[in-house]
Structure formats: C-alpha cells, structure tokens
Amino acid sequence: MCYTYWYIVMKFEEQQKAIKMRRKGLSLKEIARSLGVAKASVSVWVRDVVLSDKTKQDLRMKGSSRDVIEKRRDTRLLREKEKVDILKTEAKKDFDHITQRELKIIGCMLYLAEGGKTKKGMARISNSDLEVIKIMLRFFKEICLVPDEKFKGHIHTHSENNAKKCENYWSDLTGIPKTQFFKTYVKLSKAGSGNRGTLPYGTFDLYVCDTKIFLKIMAWIEKICFLVNNKA
C-alpha cells in the first residue's frame, strides 16, 4: 500500500508540473524530456489545458522552425556526402594499376618520410597505419627481393593495450610469424594523458637486417630527390 500511495503521489506531482509547463508554452516533447517521461503520458496529462491563440502559434512556429532546421541540416549533409563521393570517384579514375616502377618510387618516398636512416646495417620503417606497413612489405618483397624469413617485427604499445592482442593483430595482417618479432615494448601510460584508445594496436616497426638493401634504398632516394629537385 505504501508503495502504491507513493507512486500515485509522484505521478500526480509530475502531472501538475506538466500542466504548469504546458501553460507556459512548452511543447509536449520539451515537457517529456524535462520530466523524463513518455510523450504519450504528457499528452494525456495536458489535454485539458486551454492554450491562447498566441501560444498555439508560438508552438507551431517552434515545431516548424525546428523541423525546417533539421531538414536543412540533413539535406546539406546529404549534398556534401554526394559531392565528396563524386570527387573521390573522379579522383580514383587517375589510377587503374600500379607498375613496378611506381611501386619502387612509392616505397622510396615512404621510406624517406618514415624510414630509419641512422643504422646502416638495417632498413626499418615504423608506423601505426597498417596500409603503410603493407605497402612497404610489398616494396621490400617485390622491389628489394627480401625473402619472408628475413623480416623482423617490433611492436611499441602502451600499458592499457593488450600486448598479445597487438602481436596477433600485426602477425595476422602482415603474415610475419610472431617468432620473428622482437620482444614487445610496453610503455607505461600516463594517467589523464588523453591518448587512450588512439593507438589500440600500438606502432609496428618493420625490419630488414641487410646493409646492402639499406644502402640501395638510400641511393634510390638520393637519385629520385635529385631528379625531382633539379628538373630542367
């Protein structure tokens, strides 16, 4: 009985609040949101509230303007997406395949931007983007003729990530066995650093321990840069 009485009192209080808010010109949706109840319940509670012509007009204008704004926003977003899709579709037509020569240049330029240049006994590139690593794997295999067994991997991750999950991710998607990975480096995350979740699989270092390959790549890069920067 006590619970039933309490429930009835609470509902009565909510109904009275709804009536007062309706008389002030709030919409059914606004009242429902404010009280945390269903819009249908509000509609029943305030059905006997008599609104002035001005209040009715204001409510119609409020609902109309909101609907118009939302429709304009949806239309604008749709048009923007359509423009982006058209632009991307047209841009993709510039390429239908990549030649070995183009792959060679792409790999060299990626190495120029992201590759290691201090240790002459190895070629190394580090990145968190799987696509970059996959491109470089193809570059090393097809252009530099590196056999599968010569690849090494090294993962750098943070303590909030699961190291084993990171290892499985990079091994599965690169095809490099975990037996060819160096021990994963786990850095202690700083509390409140705001970087949580930004690199869920850490950063992957792709190694090829071969001095000749390193020197050849650096020579290619040097020549490409010369040709680009000294074009007659």
Side-chain angles (χ1 to χ4, degrees):
M1 290 295 293
C2 291
Y3 173 78
T4 303
Y5 175 75
W6 173 84
Y7 180 80
I8 293 172
V9 171
M10 289 296 294
K11 284 298 175 185
F12 178 77
E13 290 180 353
E14 285 182 343
Q15 182 178 351
Q16 293 305 305
K17 289 179 181 178
I19 291 171
K20 289 180 180 179
M21 295 169 76
R22 185 61 169 173
R23 285 173 177 164
K24 291 180 180 179
L26 273 70
S27 68
L28 299 181
K29 186 182 290 186
E30 289 172 329
I31 297 171
R33 188 185 300 116
S34 176
L35 297 179
V37 298
K39 183 180 175 182
S41 297
V42 175
S43 179
V44 173
W45 293 344
V46 304
R47 62 187 173 187
D48 294 329
V49 175
V50 179
L51 300 175
S52 67
D53 292 340
K54 183 180 183 307
T55 301
K56 290 178 182 178
Q57 180 66 19
D58 290 343
L59 285 171
R60 281 195 295 268
M61 291 295 294
K62 185 186 295 184
S64 176
S65 61
R66 184 182 296 113
D67 290 342
V68 168
I69 291 172
E70 290 180 356
K71 286 179 181 178
R72 285 178 179 172
R73 175 180 174 276
D74 292 342
T75 301
R76 186 184 73 253
L77 291 175
L78 179 61
R79 287 176 178 172
E80 288 178 357
K81 183 180 182 304
E82 289 174 348
K83 288 180 181 178
V84 170
D85 290 343
I86 292 172
L87 180 63
K88 290 172 68 175
T89 299
E90 289 300 313
K92 288 177 180 179
K93 291 179 181 178
D94 289 345
F95 301 96
D96 52 9
H97 71 284
I98 298 295
T99 66
Q100 290 295 95
R101 180 175 176 80
E102 289 167 341
L103 176 60
K104 188 174 186 177
I105 295 172
I106 290 168
C108 287
M109 291 301 95
L110 272 178
Y111 198 92
L112 174 63
E114 303 288 344
K117 305 171 186 70
T118 55
K119 296 182 179 180
K120 296 183 179 180
M122 65 176 68
R124 176 184 63 84
I125 187 164
S126 176
N127 214 278
S128 60
D129 190 329
L130 175 64
E131 295 302 321
V132 171
I133 298 300
K134 288 169 68 175
I135 290 172
M136 290 307 296
L137 270 170
R138 187 178 166 192
F139 168 76
F140 282 132
K141 289 179 180 181
E142 298 181 21
I143 305 301
C144 303
L145 303 179
V146 176
D148 291 343
E149 63 271 14
K150 292 207 70 173
F151 288 108
K152 298 289 184 182
H154 190 199
I155 298 169
H156 294 248
T157 189
H158 288 86
S159 56
E160 75 265 14
N161 296 332
N162 185 308
K164 293 296 181 184
K165 188 175 181 180
C166 294
E167 291 166 4
N168 290 335
Y169 172 84
W170 288 109
S171 179
D172 290 344
L173 295 176
T174 62
I176 301 174
K178 287 184 285 185
T179 54
Q180 292 174 214
F181 283 17
F182 296 114
K183 184 178 179 180
T184 297
Y185 174 78
V186 179
K187 183 178 181 180
L188 183 64
S189 299
K190 295 180 181 179
S193 63
N195 293 324
R196 293 181 181 276
T198 55
L199 294 175
Y201 300 106
T203 299
F204 187 76
D205 289 2
L206 178 63
Y207 285 89
V208 176
C209 298
D210 190 306
T211 302
K212 289 183 178 180
I213 289 176
F214 171 80
L215 293 175
K216 185 179 288 188
I217 292 172
M218 296 308 296
W220 287 339
I221 291 172
E222 184 178 337
K223 185 60 181 287
I224 292 170
C225 290
F226 174 82
L227 292 174
V228 171
N229 294 326
N230 294 277
K231 182 179 178 179

